[in-house]
Amino acid sequence: PIAYTDGGTGTHSWQIAMSSDGLFVTVGNVGTILTSSDGISWTERTSGTTNNLYGVTYGGGLFVTVGDNRTILTSSDGTTWANTSANKRTTLRYFSKPDAHHLYGVTYGDGLFVTVGGDATIFTSSDGTTWTENGQNLKSNWGDGQYFKAVTYRNKLFVLVGRNGKIMNSPDGITWKERKAGTTNNLMGVTYSPTCGKVEWKGLDAGLCKNGIFVSVGKGGKIITSFDGNWWVKRTFKGAGWIYAVTYGNGTFVTVGDNGVILTSSDGI
C-alpha cells in the first residue's frame, strides 16, 4: 500500500492497494472508497459505512479495508463491499463496544490476512470473513495505551509497528515477539523491498541483504531499517516533524510527512 493521496474528491484518502489484474483501490475518511484502472481517473464506490477507513490490502482474490470502530469491509471486485465486522461479534468480542478502538493497518501473506490497531489489537483471517483475535496477552504487558499502526509481510514474516517505537514480528500472524527498535518515537508505517536497491553491497551486508530490507518511519522524521525484521538500525534524516507512511516500488522507497515532505531512497539507507 501507499499512503495519503487525494483522489480529486477533496476527501483525504489514506492507502492504496492494487489487485492482480491492475485495479487500484484507495480508502479514506467517512467511508470513502475509490477505484481506478489507471491511477488517474477515479470512481467513488458505496462502502456502506461512514467510519474512517485507514488501511487496505489485496490478497487471495480479495480486497480488505479496515478502520474506525474496528470496521472491516471486503470486496472481490472493488465495487461491491461487504461488512464482515458487524456480524462477527461472537468472534471479535470488542466489536459491540461503542468505544471500541480502531484498526489502522492490514496486510496479506501466506494465505492469511492480518489487521492491527488500538489496544494492542491483532486479528487474523484466512478468508476475510471470519476473524480471530490473536495476541490477547499483549494487552496486559504494557501499562500505557498501546496501539499498532501498520503491518507488512515478507518471506514468512509479518512485521508490525506502533506507539513508542513498538516493533513486533511473527512467522504465522499468531505468535508475536517484540523486537528492539532503538527508538521510543511513535512509528507510523512499515514496508519492505525484495532487494536492497541499486547500491553495491559487499561482505556481511551482501549476505544479509539477499532477501531485501524492511523500512519503518515515524515521529520526528525517524527512519529505521532491518534486513531480517529482528535487528533494527536508525538512519540519518533531520527535518520532518512526522513521517506518516512509506512504500516501495520500481526500485525506490517513498515516504510522505508533515508539510508535504516527500523523501525518496533507492536503498532505504
Side-chain angles (χ1 to χ4, degrees):
I2 185 170
Y4 205 79
T5 184
D6 190 321
T9 64
T11 300
H12 288 162
S13 299
W14 295 104
Q15 280 199 331
I16 296 174
M18 185 177 72
S19 68
S20 57
D21 59 358
L23 179 69
F24 295 99
V25 172
T26 184
V27 301
N29 290 357
V30 294
T32 298
I33 297 178
L34 307 173
T35 64
S36 173
S37 60
D38 58 10
I40 299 173
S41 299
W42 294 85
T43 302
E44 188 165 4
R45 304 301 182 180
T46 301
S47 67
T49 183
T50 57
N51 288 332
N52 294 336
L53 301 172
Y54 299 113
V56 62
T57 193
Y58 179 84
L62 197 68
F63 288 100
V64 175
T65 181
V66 299
D68 281 349
N69 300 317
R70 301 192 173 174
T71 296
I72 302 177
L73 309 177
T74 64
S75 175
S76 60
D77 58 9
T79 300
T80 303
W81 292 82
N83 190 323
T84 65
S85 54
N87 60 356
K88 294 296 174 184
R89 291 175 181 169
T90 56
T91 301
L92 302 183
R93 52 195 173 92
Y94 296 103
F95 273 24
S96 59
K97 292 186 177 182
D99 59 347
H101 291 273
H102 309 319
L103 297 173
Y104 295 112
V106 61
T107 194
Y108 178 85
D110 200 22
L112 192 71
F113 292 99
V114 175
T115 182
V116 300
D119 199 24
T121 295
I122 302 170
F123 291 125
T124 61
S125 174
S126 61
D127 59 8
T129 300
T130 302
W131 294 82
T132 302
E133 184 178 11
N134 295 290
Q136 292 93 326
N137 61 313
L138 300 178
K139 295 180 175 63
S140 61
N141 291 346
W142 303 303
D144 59 346
Q146 182 58 241
Y147 65 76
F148 299 143
K149 196 66 175 180
V151 60
T152 192
Y153 174 85
R154 185 200 75 181
N155 294 344
K156 304 293 183 180
L157 191 70
F158 293 94
V159 175
L160 65 80
V161 300
R163 184 179 181 183
N164 298 333
K166 195 69 67 182
I167 293 183
M168 305 191 75
N169 62 27
S170 170
D172 57 10
I174 298 171
T175 303
W176 294 82
K177 186 172 182 178
E178 188 171 356
R179 301 298 181 178
K180 293 182 178 180
T183 179
T184 58
N185 286 12
N186 295 346
L187 297 173
M188 305 294 289
V190 63
T191 192
Y192 74 93
S193 68
T195 68
C196 279
K198 300 175 182 178
V199 297
E200 182 180 359
W201 294 86
K202 298 179 180 179
L204 178 60
D205 283 347
L208 291 172
C209 198
K210 63 182 180 180
N211 292 319
I213 188 170
F214 290 99
V215 175
S216 181
V217 299
K219 182 180 179 181
K222 189 64 64 179
I223 300 175
I224 61 176
T225 66
S226 174
F227 290 122
D228 60 6
N230 297 321
W231 303 96
W232 293 79
V233 177
K234 289 184 284 186
R235 300 301 174 182
T236 301
F237 174 77
K238 295 181 180 181
W242 284 82
I243 302 177
Y244 293 112
V246 59
T247 192
Y248 178 85
N250 197 28
T252 303
F253 289 96
V254 179
T255 76
V256 291
D258 278 344
N259 302 315
V261 169
I262 299 175
L263 308 175
T264 63
S265 173
S266 62
D267 57 17
I269 305 301

